[in-house]
Amino acid sequence: AQRVTQPEKLLSVFKGAPVELKCNYSYSGSPELFWYVQYSRQRLQLLLRHISRESIKGFTADLNKGETSFHLKKPFAQEEDSAMYYCVLQTYNQGGKLIFGQGTELSVKP
Amino acid sequence: KAGVTQTPRYLIKTRGQQVTLSCSPISGHRSVSWYQQTPGQGLQFLFEYFSETQRNKGNFPGRFSGRQFSNSRSEMNVSTLELGDSALYLCASSTDRANNEQFFGPGTRLTVL
């Protein structure tokens, strides 16, 4: 079965601290993985995708196929990073079907 | 470009009724997907339409249906509403390329009494 697991419902850190939002997936094929973010009163939007291997707003995520993980990291959290983060799996040949994790709410305190 | 729009934004229905939600994708996007978001189940995929054809389907009962028009606008219909259908229904549109970003609408909040 295709599944995405985000073990933490809420992650609270202080400004300037490192952040790691965990994500594990279950899929036997070659996955396409994304992180989507929803800031307060805004729409769900793409943060980054594994295929791009880029840093967005200081966030990076590395796909580890051995551990089936795609953790999201940022070395120094900012208050404006406070939001709901979703790890998302897209399987090959299934077009627009996205499989969402339960989401992790990140709270960055001043 | 205008973003994805959904109408209505809020809806209150009673059990047994049916409801139709509408989604207008970003101009040029031919894929439209629908998701149901609830506190208990999170975000779950309902179905995807591309060029007026259902291309993917999630694990929802047949009471949930949809369609897409030639201008890529999409509607979803829920018949014989149940209390458990109360949710935020999100629509997303995208181009048909690999690793494509999906652009989400603001959602329609459906309350079933």
Side-chain angles (χ1 to χ4, degrees):
Chain A
Q2 302 146 7
R3 188 183 303 122
V4 177
T5 303
Q6 293 179 249
E8 304 131 334
K9 286 189 71 172
L10 173 64
L11 187 61
S12 185
V13 302
F14 286 101
K15 177 182 172 182
V19 169
E20 182 177 43
L21 284 75
K22 292 185 169 24
C23 171
N24 288 91
Y25 66 91
S26 173
Y27 176 53
S28 57
S30 186
E32 308 291 351
L33 284 155
F34 307 81
W35 279 96
Y36 276 76
V37 61
Q38 187 165 27
Y39 301 101
S40 179
R41 298 187 202 88
Q42 292 189 28
R43 302 180 183 200
L44 195 56
Q45 59 187 283
L46 176 68
L47 178 63
L48 55 78
R49 67 194 89 185
H50 91 271
I51 198 81
S52 302
R53 301 180 68 82
E54 56 192 346
S55 173
I56 304 291
K57 298 184 178 182
F59 284 98
T60 59
D62 290 318
L63 176 59
N64 185 322
K65 291 188 177 181
E67 295 182 359
T68 60
S69 68
F70 187 56
H71 303 325
L72 183 68
K73 300 176 184 179
K74 184 170 183 175
F76 307 103
Q78 303 299 315
E79 289 179 67
E80 55 266 29
D81 296 328
S82 295
M84 193 71 164
Y85 291 81
Y86 294 94
C87 183
V88 180
L89 167 69
Q90 184 177 38
T91 58
Y92 177 74
N93 210 28
Q94 287 204 294
K97 178 179 179 179
L98 300 182
I99 299 164
F100 283 79
Q102 288 291 93
T104 297
E105 182 181 354
L106 175 64
S107 175
V108 181
K109 300 184 188 313
Chain B
K1 272 186 182 178
V4 177
T5 58
Q6 292 186 246
T7 57
R9 293 294 310 280
Y10 302 91
L11 209 46
I12 299 175
K13 292 286 187 179
T14 56
R15 278 182 299 173
Q17 288 187 308
Q18 76 165 20
V19 68
T20 299
L21 313 182
S22 180
C23 172
S24 293
I26 290 172
S27 177
H29 287 188
R30 295 163 66 192
S31 169
V32 174
S33 299
W34 289 88
Y35 297 86
Q36 182 195 64
Q37 185 175 26
T38 59
Q41 300 298 317
L43 276 150
Q44 293 186 286
F45 173 78
L46 279 155
F47 28 65
E48 180 205 7
Y49 285 86
F50 180 81
S51 290
E52 302 179 65
T53 301
Q54 188 179 86
R55 186 159 70 171
N56 283 294
K57 189 176 189 303
N59 297 323
F60 279 81
R63 300 185 297 107
F64 291 82
S65 63
R67 59 178 176 168
Q68 187 179 34
F69 302 95
S70 58
N71 62 358
S72 293
R73 189 176 71 84
S74 176
E75 288 181 348
M76 70 163 278
N77 185 276
V78 188
S79 63
T80 321
L81 284 165
E82 300 177 359
L83 295 179
D85 296 333
S86 294
L88 181 67
Y89 290 89
L90 293 171
C91 161
S93 76
S94 66
T95 60
D96 191 36
R97 290 199 309 269
N99 304 306
N100 48 359
E101 176 180 359
Q102 291 200 16
F103 294 83
F104 284 82
T108 294
R109 171 75 61 186
L110 171 65
T111 301
V112 182
L113 303 176

